[in-house]
């Protein structure tokens, strides 16, 4: 991933500035405090910090936003992970009776990593990504977001770019946070379709009737498949990749297609031949009726790390953490702009720290306005902090995070009203 403006060696110098002037602490606390509806919710949350030289510090917890701020500004973590809400404060876990320190709640989370698609992408491998394979993340978000909202009824989904090669989803509804391990496993299994390791050739098997969830997922895949698979990955171009596709079709069909492909070299026409053969097979055979759909799903369907989703006590990288290798900030993704989201345009820590020192057009007027309003400001330091991130390319991502929190706040208010009504005595 090209990050020409970022040098990993500069991270120790940049992190103190980032945590002092740019990290959106007020929004971050607002998120994890969930409106204060449940007592000690924020205080019993586990944070873990990865410090310089891979020093890993678990079971951090904080009483207030101010305490979190001070500690992060003191430790300047290279990476922040968020864990569960525990029965006791995580920083006191050594003082409680053995067996009583339990993970109680956490957001339902999903982790999608590009390395899990190495068998179906030819442009990159391992930690590398490019605009051609990033389409896989777009497809994954589209499929999972629809299913979580429509099939499960969740509303508060925070999608976040990891900063390097993947995306995370935080399902923040109260019902999702309270799910048991068994329920989390059931959701993860429902959403999993691509099964089997490297040695498994055919990783998707469809049966009749096709489940409505799979049909909905196919609508998304069909939209992106021609561009992603046929053009960008050229799966029906080179012999090696053609052989991989043909290995997924019934043997008798494979012979016919190998023959047809001798005369037709264009990938789009070759794919039409595959679909024509599938239609013929569906008319005559009971088995292998949907091999063209299985191919599309094997090449494009999201690949989940289900273990991340199943465990309540599993830690996941925090939004607004900095990726030490790329320098990119782990930013929320606005689904209204999903098709134009560019991981390479996500700001690096070096860029936003540099932007802090650039004068902006109209800044003098802004200063004079601020001076006029100074008497009305409760906290001058907080005002400067807010203005600081607004001076940088981080601003639009914090704004989207704010909008997400506004949506959740409406739900918190409803819950607080309900609780106050229950407490009234008539």
């Amino acid at each position: 991933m090209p990050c020409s403006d970022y040098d990993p060696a500069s991270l120790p110098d940049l992190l103190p500035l980032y945590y002092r002037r740019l990290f959106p602490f007020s929004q971050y606390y607002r998120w994890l405090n969930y409106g204060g509806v449940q007592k000690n919710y924020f205080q019993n949350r586990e944070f873990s910090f990865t410090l310089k030289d891979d020093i890993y510090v678990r079971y951090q917890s904080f009483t207030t936003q101010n305490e979190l701020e001070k500690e992060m500004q003191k430790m300047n973590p290279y990476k922040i992970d968020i864990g569960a809400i525990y029965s006791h404060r995580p920083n006191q876990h050594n003082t409680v009776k053995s067996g009583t320190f339990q993970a109680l709640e956490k957001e339902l989370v999903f982790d999608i990593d590009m390395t899990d698609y190495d068998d179906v992408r030819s442009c990159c491998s391992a930690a590398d990504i490019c605009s051609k394979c990033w389409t896989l993340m777009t497809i994954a978000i589209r499929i999972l977001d629809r299913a979580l909202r429509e099939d499960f009824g969740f509303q508060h989904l925070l999608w976040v770019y990891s900063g390097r090669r993947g995306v995370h989803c935080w399902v923040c509804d109260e019902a999702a946070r309270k799910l048991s391990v068994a329920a989390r496993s059931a959701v993860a299994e429902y959403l999993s379709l691509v099964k089997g390791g490297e040695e498994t050739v055919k990783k998707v098997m469809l049966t009749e009737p096709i489940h409505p969830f799979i049909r909905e997922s196919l609508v998304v895949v069909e939209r992106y498949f021609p561009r992603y698979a046929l053009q960008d990955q050229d799966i029906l171009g080179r012999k090696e990749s053609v052989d991989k596709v043909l290995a997924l079709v019934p043997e008798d069909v494979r012979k016919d297609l190998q023959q047809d492909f001798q005369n037709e070299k264009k990938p789009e026409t070759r794919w039409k031949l595959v679909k024509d053969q599938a239609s013929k097979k569906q008319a005559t055979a009971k088995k292998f009726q949907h091999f063209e759909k299985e191919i599309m799903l094997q090449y494009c369907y999201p690949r989940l790390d289900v273990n991340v989703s199943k465990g309540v006590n599993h830690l996941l990288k925090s939004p607004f953490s900095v990726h030490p290798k790329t320098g990119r900030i782990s930013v929320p993704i606005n689904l209204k702009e999903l098709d134009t989201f560019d991981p390479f345009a996500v700001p690096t820590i070096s860029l936003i720290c540099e932007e802090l020192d650039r004068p902006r057009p109209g800044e003098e007027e802004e200063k004079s306005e601020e001076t006029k309003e100074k008497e009305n400001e409760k906290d001058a330091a907080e005002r400067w902090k807010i203005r600081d991130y607004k001076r940088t390319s981080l601003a639009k991502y914090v704004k989207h995070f704010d909008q997400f929190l506004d949506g959740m706040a409406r739900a918190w208010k409803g819950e607080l009203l309900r609780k106050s009504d229950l407490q009234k005595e008539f």
Side-chain angles (χ1 to χ4, degrees), residues 52-67:
K52 195 179 177 188
D53 302 320
D54 283 334
I55 296 165
Y56 187 54
V57 188
R58 268 200 81 169
Y59 301 116
Q60 304 286 295
S61 61
F62 308 97
T63 309
T64 62
Q65 176 190 328
N66 196 34
E67 196 182 308

Side-chain angles (χ1 to χ4, degrees), residues 272-305:
K272 188 177 180 303
L273 291 167
V274 172
K275 291 204 295 185
D276 290 346
Q277 287 286 359
S279 297
K280 280 185 203 167
K281 201 75 178 166
Q282 281 157 26
T284 57
K286 284 180 182 172
K287 288 180 79 178
F288 306 117
Q289 290 179 339
H290 303 290
F291 61 81
E292 87 290 9
K293 293 180 179 69
E294 291 168 344
I295 293 166
M296 287 194 285
L297 292 167
Q298 181 153 331
Y299 275 84
C300 297
Y301 189 84
R303 298 177 178 214
L304 300 176
D305 183 343

Side-chain angles (χ1 to χ4, degrees), residues 14 26 48 67 186 207 231 255 280 284 289 369 401 404:
L14 297 171
S26 59
S48 82
E67 196 182 308
T207 54
Q231 293 177 35
K255 288 173 187 166
K280 280 185 203 167
T284 57
Q289 290 179 339
E369 281 299 313
F401 191 39
F404 169 76

Side-chain angles (χ1 to χ4, degrees), residues 99-195:
T100 60
F101 182 65
Q102 301 282 337
L104 303 178
E105 289 188 19
K106 199 190 70 180
E107 295 79 6
L108 174 62
V109 293
F110 297 93
D111 180 8
I112 305 150
D113 194 313
M114 197 73 88
T115 51
D116 294 326
Y117 293 86
D118 276 2
D119 61 319
V120 292
R121 58 179 186 143
S122 56
C123 50
C124 304
S125 63
D128 292 331
I129 65 165
C130 70
S131 58
K132 287 182 177 179
C133 55
W134 186 256
T135 306
L136 289 166
M137 294 295 115
T138 306
I139 295 168
I141 294 172
R142 289 250 181 257
I143 287 174
L144 298 178
D145 190 81
R146 187 217 61 79
L148 289 164
R149 288 179 197 277
E150 295 178 20
D151 300 0
F152 291 96
F154 297 127
Q155 295 174 44
H156 306 295
L157 276 62
L158 181 67
W159 286 97
V160 181
Y161 169 50
S162 73
R164 193 177 194 187
R165 59 173 186 250
V167 294
H168 302 149
C169 179
W170 299 77
V171 186
C172 301
D173 300 61
E174 186 183 4
R177 302 196 311 267
K178 291 182 183 302
L179 288 174
S180 65
V181 170
R184 288 165 196 266
S185 301
V187 175
E189 288 302 334
Y190 174 90
L191 296 169
S192 297
L193 203 56
V194 180
K195 305 278 175 80

Side-chain angles (χ1 to χ4, degrees), residues 329-361:
I329 312 296
S330 184
V331 294
I333 298 170
N334 185 348
L335 264 57
K336 289 176 183 168
E337 300 168 3
L338 180 59
D339 284 322
T340 55
F341 179 83
D342 178 3
F344 300 105
V346 169
T348 59
I349 186 171
S350 43
L351 173 68
I352 57 175
C353 288
E354 181 196 317
E355 286 172 337
L356 274 176
D357 299 323
R358 288 183 198 159
R360 289 187 309 161

